[in-house]
């Protein structure tokens, strides 16, 4: 089932960071769309919950130095 969720992300301080976060998440199988709001340190993520979980996305981001609050 498709889900649309909003998350906060720590350590996202620049446009370059925002681009990296978007690229990382879009590279995960099951993630359909990612919108980044750098000013709010927030993400809007549409994903297929049978392929990927919010915990999986957070773990992948953490491995790149970003911390997604779930």
């Amino acid at each position: 089932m498709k889900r649309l969720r909003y998350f906060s992300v720590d350590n996202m301080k620049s446009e370059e960071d925002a681009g990296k976060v978007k690229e990382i998440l879009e590279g995960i199988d099951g993630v359909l769309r990612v919108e980044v709001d750098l000013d709010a340190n927030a993400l809007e993520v549409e994903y297929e919950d049978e392929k990927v979980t919010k915990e999986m996305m957070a773990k992948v981001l953490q491995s790149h130095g970003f911390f997604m609050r779930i």
Side-chain angles (χ1 to χ4, degrees):
M1 170 191 253
K2 286 184 186 177
R3 301 260 182 208
L4 180 63
R5 299 288 303 262
Y6 299 90
F7 304 100
S8 283
V9 178
D10 295 335
N11 296 352
M12 190 170 59
K13 297 182 170 66
S14 67
E15 288 293 333
E16 183 179 350
D17 288 346
K20 285 180 187 176
V21 166
K22 183 176 173 77
E23 183 179 340
I24 290 164
L25 288 176
E26 287 177 338
I28 299 172
D29 186 37
V31 173
L32 305 172
R33 184 176 59 82
V34 178
E35 297 296 327
V36 179
D37 182 343
L38 181 59
D39 293 331
N41 286 328
L43 300 174
E44 177 183 276
V45 182
E46 184 176 8
Y47 63 98
E48 297 175 338
D49 64 358
E50 62 274 355
K51 291 185 178 181
V52 66
T53 66
K54 59 188 178 185
E55 290 84 7
M56 290 166 66
M57 290 185 280
K59 187 175 181 176
V60 170
L61 282 179
Q62 186 173 359
S63 73
H64 291 276
F66 299 102
F67 301 96
M68 185 172 90
R69 296 180 192 198
I70 53 175

